[in-house]
Amino acid sequence: MGQEKGRPLAPLPEGFTDRMEKMLGEEYPAFLKSYEEGRAYGLRVNLLKGSREELYGRLCRRFGLVPVPWCREGFYYGQEDRPGRHPFHQAGVYYIQEPSAMAVGSLLDPQPGEAVLDLCAAPGGKTTHIAARMAGEGLLVSNEVHPARAKALSQNVERMGVKNVVVTNEEPERLAKIFPGFFDRVVVDAPCSGEGMFRKEEQAREEWSRGHVQLCAGRQRQILDCGAKMLKPGGRMVYSTCTFSPEENEEVVIRFLESHPDFSLVPAPGVLKGLSKGRLDWWGDQEELEGAYRIWPHKARGEGHFAALLEKKGEGPRARTRGGGGPERKKKGQNGNGKDEGLFSEFWAGTVPYISQEGFGLDPKRLAWFGGQLYHVPKGMPGLDGLRVLRPGLHLGTWKKNRLEPSHGLALALEPKHVGQCLRLDAEGPETAAYLAGNTLPAPEGRKGWVLVCADDYPLGWAKAAGGVLKNHYPKGLRV
Ligand code: SAM
């Protein structure tokens, strides 16, 4: 299950196959044969929407799910299942993620309340995994250097109902100047030559060259240096790629350790079941490199990944109180002042009348206006002056016609129990499809004002009840 018979793709690049043969020796035929098999399909259930067991219980009736050994919330699904087309996808019940990529979040092991940085974050697979493990507590800064990809990242963060993420669009070097020694954990999921994508993407095969591998390796070293600067003493960093070349994997890590004596590799026994170890030297005696892991398509069900767990010397962040150090929170546009708290209460009482503020865990002191947009910023949010910020936390609403209109992001972060006006639709029924297409629906009797529309128990978005109809507020750009 989870594998399709591959259609013929462009041939594998010769320079790649030559190198892989030298690297893998007698394992090479099995590696090559894996290209005749279909790719593995995976989804990761969103722990912000329920426990693993609860979500598995809901989904296993619909999709043929098989656990991914190295990620407790990850499952393989069958190609015919098409979970991307199910309304639960729009509701953020799961994230479709290549199974190997799930190893990174498991290895990082982020904890609620920590300060975490995802330095190369788009489209958001690792970020949404980390956010779910953090359970809405602490601060996650998700950065993406390319503006269009940063936008896609921000949308995925919204879809998955994440409350404590700041999405930035910055060069790693600029972030490193602003956040020295700030984060408990950092992920550098670096741009790479994408050899692990060869089974599913023709373009990755066509773009491959030895020169590109070298170019990627140079860039990876620079990005990793930036990540290292932003890690607290005692903090942990995962460096990962979806490629097989030693130049971009073990060699990057070994050179990094040579120039950063305050770092060491950390073995993670038991965390990553089913994975292979990296090698100190693929061309020599192939001694294992403890703390560096590989997923091979001929040994595990995944497209391929490399991940290394690094630790910076010093007192472990877990032993200290959180939130210390780092830049101060910006005063302008962020508040805790009486005016905004008053406005917020009015918003809650008048505009979204039946939401229980306490149950949802909003803190009026963490409200922040950015233009006409109201956000709830994560605890420990640093100063963002001069940074390109797409999302400074949970978007609560937009100031429109002298009142606040609740945001789509807020709908996705709520649970039905938080609101008085909720409309549960059968996830697979025609009304859910009509809502996602942007149509109006008949309003249940007696309803007036904002109604949270759900697929079964999972929020999809807002509708506004008036005069017996529900006006559709599902965002136009997302309509199906
Ligand atoms: N972590 C992401 C996920 O799980 O969805 C995938 C990240 S992808 C492997 C690498 C990302 O690095 C891309 O989004 C790419 O735009 C970004 N990138 C490219 N050049 C970069 C650079 N010089 N510095 C930082 N990031 C860069």
Side-chain angles (χ1 to χ4, degrees):
M1 200 186 304
Q3 307 270 327
E4 66 175 322
K5 274 277 162 234
R7 64 177 178 80
L9 291 171
L12 292 168
E14 220 172 272
F16 166 73
T17 48
D18 287 352
R19 184 244 288 147
M20 294 312 297
E21 189 169 10
K22 282 189 201 117
M23 255 176 95
L24 292 175
E26 58 189 33
E27 275 183 32
Y28 178 67
F31 174 77
L32 202 58
K33 196 161 184 297
S34 73
Y35 286 87
E36 290 164 24
E37 286 153 24
R39 51 177 279 215
Y41 292 88
L43 63 79
R44 183 173 41 70
V45 296
N46 184 3
L47 299 180
L48 297 175
K49 300 282 170 183
S51 69
R52 175 195 186 272
E53 286 65 34
E54 190 184 326
L55 296 170
Y56 173 76
R58 295 260 181 168
L59 299 179
C60 68
R61 284 180 263 134
R62 296 165 163 107
F63 314 129
L65 300 182
V66 174
V68 171
W70 48 84
C71 174
R72 61 176 186 260
E73 59 272 55
F75 297 91
Y76 299 99
Y77 64 84
Q79 190 200 355
E80 63 290 350
D81 289 333
R82 308 223 169 238
R85 294 190 181 175
H86 194 281
F88 282 172
H89 184 253
Q90 273 92 335
V93 176
Y94 43 77
Y95 189 97
I96 293 174
Q97 188 175 25
E98 197 281 294
S100 322
M102 298 175 191
V104 174
S106 301
L107 197 58
L108 187 73
D109 193 26
Q111 300 298 314
E114 290 184 332
V116 182
L117 169 69
D118 186 355
L119 192 48
C120 313
K126 276 101 188 170
T127 273
T128 55
H129 192 182
I130 294 164
R133 292 272 182 117
M134 292 174 78
E137 288 173 38
L139 166 73
L140 172 56
V141 175
S142 295
N143 180 66
E144 168 57 43
V145 73
H146 289 299
R149 289 178 63 82
K151 214 169 149 200
L153 166 68
S154 187
Q155 280 173 352
N156 279 328
V157 161
E158 179 174 82
R159 182 171 60 82
M160 301 304 278
V162 180
K163 296 190 217 169
N164 58 328
V165 174
V166 173
V167 178
T168 58
N169 169 214
E170 279 300 342
E171 302 283 343
E173 291 76 11
R174 283 202 67 211
L175 283 184
K177 282 192 189 128
I178 292 172
F179 295 107
F182 184 76
F183 295 99
D184 297 299
R185 296 180 203 248
V186 172
V187 182
V188 175
D189 186 35
C192 67
S193 60
E195 294 165 2
M197 296 291 116
F198 282 179
R199 203 153 60 162
K200 62 176 194 173
E201 274 180 31
E202 188 127 23
Q203 205 187 346
R205 296 179 180 212
E206 285 166 1
E207 282 173 3
W208 187 92
S209 70
R210 285 193 183 94
H212 190 224
V213 168
Q214 293 307 329
L215 192 119
C216 288
R219 190 165 52 188
Q220 287 151 357
R221 286 198 289 271
Q222 284 169 7
I223 302 174
L224 193 55
D225 280 353
C226 294
K229 285 187 186 131
M230 290 184 266
L231 196 64
K232 281 180 189 169
R236 287 186 168 188
M237 174 162 74
V238 172
Y239 170 74
S240 60
T241 74
C242 62
T243 206
F244 301 120
S245 70
E247 296 93 319
E248 296 177 74
N249 294 322
E250 286 91 344
E251 288 177 26
V252 167
V253 171
I254 290 163
R255 280 184 66 166
F256 173 81
L257 291 171
E258 283 165 4
S259 57
H260 295 78
D262 52 338
F263 276 81
S264 56
L265 276 164
V266 188
V271 178
L272 299 176
K273 287 184 219 116
L275 303 196
S276 307
K277 289 191 179 159
R279 296 279 188 275
L280 196 56
D281 178 6
W282 278 100
W283 319 117
D285 64 3
Q286 300 230 351
E287 187 189 331
E288 283 178 348
L289 186 60
E290 293 294 337
Y293 298 90
R294 278 180 175 265
I295 296 176
W296 290 107
H298 61 292
K299 291 184 168 181
R301 271 178 72 188
E303 298 310 289
H305 231 74
F306 172 85
L309 180 61
L310 295 150
E311 190 171 88
K312 196 176 197 172
K313 284 199 185 83
E315 188 196 350
R318 273 151 295 186
R320 296 195 310 263
T321 25
R322 313 222 174 278
E328 280 298 306
R329 221 179 96 177
K330 171 178 156 186
K331 295 285 180 291
K332 202 177 99 207
Q334 302 180 2
N335 59 84
N337 68 39
K339 179 174 159 270
D340 288 339
E341 282 180 40
L343 246 178
F344 182 66
S345 301
E346 197 185 307
F347 162 56
W348 225 252
T351 321
V352 195
Y354 305 108
I355 296 180
S356 138
Q357 206 184 123
E358 294 75 27
F360 185 50
L362 286 180
D363 174 1
K365 293 198 170 49
R366 288 198 269 134
L367 299 175
W369 283 98
F370 290 83
Q373 311 297 328
L374 183 63
Y375 285 87
H376 187 251
V377 303
K379 204 171 182 176
M381 162 122 134
L384 301 175
D385 268 339
L387 287 178
R388 285 191 295 266
V389 179
L390 273 79
R391 183 176 291 267
L394 175 63
H395 188 206
L396 294 174
T398 302
W399 188 250
K400 260 188 195 169
K401 297 180 192 152
N402 285 331
R403 55 164 63 194
L404 267 166
E405 192 164 280
S407 77
H408 184 60
L410 174 62
L412 275 281
L414 287 163
E415 293 172 45
K417 70 176 183 199
H418 294 132
V419 296
Q421 296 210 116
C422 168
L423 177 66
R424 283 184 174 81
L425 302 175
D426 172 4
E428 277 122 18
E431 284 190 308
T432 299
Y435 176 72
L436 291 174
N439 300 336
T440 48
L441 297 173
E445 223 177 287
R447 297 287 172 95
K448 196 166 178 287
W450 294 103
V451 175
L452 188 67
V453 180
C454 301
D456 293 355
D457 290 321
Y458 305 106
L460 286 171
W462 294 110
K464 200 168 186 187
V469 291
L470 281 174
K471 192 176 168 220
N472 195 316
H473 281 258
Y474 193 66
K476 288 198 169 74
L478 300 178
R479 290 179 184 176
V480 184

